[in-house]
């Protein structure tokens, strides 16, 4: 145990079991490597929870919308990473966690939001119910008086380009997505986790700030198809598919109506150029360039190869 871990209160990481990109799980590992004590909040006891314990985290089972759960999770911590997957209960979870965090006097509350919020206002929203919940959550956190740091990534590489695209790449050598011909700047969740680890390692200089995190470049899907081709060593082409058919396929695969509406809005915003954004916030925080599409595909090459 390092001197830092002896002196510091634990850092709470929500969503630590991870899903798309596993920000929470990677963040937990990064903070432990920096010598911090980490309390990892998980929804259920399973092999992922055991893996977190093996890393050295204190694992707490609980629900972000449950008051008692959050008292158990937050008591004795001073810094919090709040992140939650797309959910109709997102706003309830945010306010529940924030209320308990304020009660316990935390010194930093890092909120994982979305870059689309920067284009929203009291009169401007999107068709995504999740975007509206993120915008409302940011308003509530601003009113709370908590020491908040807001992180707004663009679309995740792990979402559209791994989970939602891998099957067509494997079976048809196609990057088949309903994203039109506009440019986009997807970012790796691992890069986002690294940025959050820097903030939580020494939060004081970041309190009250908003970080908009974009990927390596903002280019069109034909360009990304060429990156896939180079990384995989076989030709991959981009096929812009009709949005209604794509959403119907997701729903047939069991995607919830809330998530389907969110993904449909994101796809539509892509066609409008809303994700054609570039900032240097990630480099300013971490000193590292974002992961390129080529390097991302190489890293996950096994997911794009027929079995």
């Amino acid at each position: 145990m390092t001197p830092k871990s002896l002196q510091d209160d634990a850092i709470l990481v929500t969503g630590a079991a991870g899903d798309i990109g596993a920000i929470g799980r990677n963040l937990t590992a990064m903070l432990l490597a920096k010598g911090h004590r980490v309390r990892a909040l998980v929804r259920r006891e399973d092999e992922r929870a055991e893996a977190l314990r093996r890393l050295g985290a204190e694992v707490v089972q609980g629900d972000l919308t449950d008051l008692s759960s959050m008292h158990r999770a937050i008591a004795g911590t001073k810094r919090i990473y709040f992140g939650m997957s797309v959910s109709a209960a997102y706003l309830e979870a945010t306010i529940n966690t924030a209320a308990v965090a304020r009660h316990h006097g935390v010194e930093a509350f890092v909120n994982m939001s979305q870059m689309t919020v920067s284009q929203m206002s009291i009169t401007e929203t999107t068709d995504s119910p999740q975007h509206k919940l993120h915008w409302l959550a940011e308003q509530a956190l601003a009113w709370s008086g908590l020491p908040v740091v807001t992180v707004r990534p663009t679309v995740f590489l792990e979402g559209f380009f791994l989970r939602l695209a891998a099957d067509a790449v494997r079976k048809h050598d196609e990057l088949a997505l309903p994203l039109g011909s506009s440019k986009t700047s997807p970012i790796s969740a691992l890069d986002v986790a690294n940025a959050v680890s820097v903030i939580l390692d020494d939060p004081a200089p970041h309190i009250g700030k908003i970080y908009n995190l974009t990927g390596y470049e903002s280019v069109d899907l034909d360009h990304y198809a060429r990156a896939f081709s180079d990384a995989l060593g076989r030709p991959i082409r981009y096929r812009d598919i009709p949005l209604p058919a794509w959403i119907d396929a997701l729903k047939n695969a069991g995607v919830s109506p809330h998530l389907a509406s969110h993904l449909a809005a994101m796809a539509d915003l892509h066609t409008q150029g809303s994700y054609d954004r570039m900032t240097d916030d990630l480099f300013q925080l971490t000193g590292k360039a974002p992961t390129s599409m080529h390097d991302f595909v190489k890293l996950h090459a096994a997911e794009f190869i027929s079995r």
Side-chain angles (χ1 to χ4, degrees):
M1 184 177 289
T2 67
K4 181 184 287 186
S5 65
L6 284 169
Q7 297 170 8
D8 286 1
D9 290 297
I11 298 174
L12 175 64
V13 174
T14 71
D19 188 15
I20 298 176
I23 292 176
R25 186 173 69 245
N26 284 302
L27 175 60
T28 297
M30 291 172 183
L31 290 172
L32 288 167
K34 292 176 186 287
H36 291 285
R37 290 176 51 223
V38 179
R39 184 176 296 169
L41 182 67
V42 300
R43 290 204 63 183
R44 61 184 61 87
E45 287 286 351
D46 56 19
E47 65 279 0
R48 296 176 300 175
E50 283 303 312
L52 290 166
R53 288 192 178 94
R54 288 195 296 271
L55 284 175
E58 173 193 354
V59 177
V60 177
Q61 182 183 13
D63 186 330
L64 290 167
T65 64
D66 179 69
L67 191 63
S68 296
S69 288
M70 296 319 296
H71 276 290
R72 290 196 307 272
I74 293 173
T77 68
K78 286 297 183 182
R79 306 172 191 178
I80 295 174
Y81 163 73
F82 177 83
M84 184 182 184
S85 58
V86 174
S87 169
Y90 181 85
L91 182 59
E92 178 187 1
T94 304
I95 295 177
N96 192 63
T97 305
V100 179
R102 181 171 176 174
H103 172 80
H104 288 283
V106 301
E107 66 182 19
F109 188 106
V110 179
N111 175 45
M112 182 58 58
S113 188
Q114 295 192 4
M115 188 176 292
T116 307
V117 173
S118 65
Q119 299 168 314
M120 298 169 67
S121 71
I122 196 67
T123 59
E124 299 290 335
T125 186
T126 79
D127 291 333
S128 163
Q130 185 69 25
H131 283 153
K132 184 177 181 182
L133 295 179
H134 273 282
W135 186 84
L136 288 170
E138 284 199 24
Q139 306 310 300
L141 288 172
W143 304 331
S144 72
L146 283 166
V148 176
V149 185
T150 302
V151 179
R152 294 173 176 167
T154 184
V155 64
F156 287 116
L157 284 165
E158 290 81 358
F160 273 92
F161 293 90
L162 182 57
R163 173 169 289 188
L164 298 176
D167 190 57
V169 173
R170 281 195 302 267
K171 294 178 179 177
H172 307 294
D173 291 333
E174 289 181 341
L175 190 57
L177 291 167
L179 302 184
S181 58
S182 295
K183 297 177 180 179
T184 184
S185 56
I187 189 169
S188 167
L190 192 64
D191 290 338
V192 176
N194 190 22
V196 175
S197 76
V198 170
I199 295 168
L200 284 169
D201 186 49
D202 182 19
H206 307 286
I207 299 301
K209 294 185 177 180
I210 298 173
Y211 294 102
N212 294 299
L213 305 182
T214 62
Y216 180 78
E217 57 190 342
S218 185
V219 293
D220 63 23
L221 273 292
D222 287 319
H223 180 99
Y224 287 133
R226 290 191 292 274
F228 267 76
S229 301
D230 291 344
L232 298 175
R234 68 183 200 268
I236 307 295
R237 71 182 184 96
Y238 170 54
R239 181 166 65 91
D240 182 24
I241 59 178
L243 180 57
W246 186 69
I247 292 299
D248 285 344
L250 291 177
K251 289 179 178 178
N252 290 336
V255 170
S256 70
H258 181 85
L259 177 54
S261 294
H262 176 57
L263 292 172
M266 291 181 70
D268 187 53
L269 288 169
H270 267 91
T271 66
Q272 299 174 33
S274 295
Y275 287 88
D276 184 12
R277 309 279 299 279
M278 285 296 294
T279 77
D280 67 349
D281 286 8
L282 180 74
F283 182 81
Q284 292 301 320
L285 280 168
T286 67
K288 298 179 180 178
T291 302
S292 69
M293 182 68 79
H294 179 275
D295 290 345
F296 177 79
V297 175
K298 289 285 284 187
L299 181 64
H300 297 281
E303 299 293 327
F304 303 109
I305 297 171
S306 296
R307 296 173 178 82

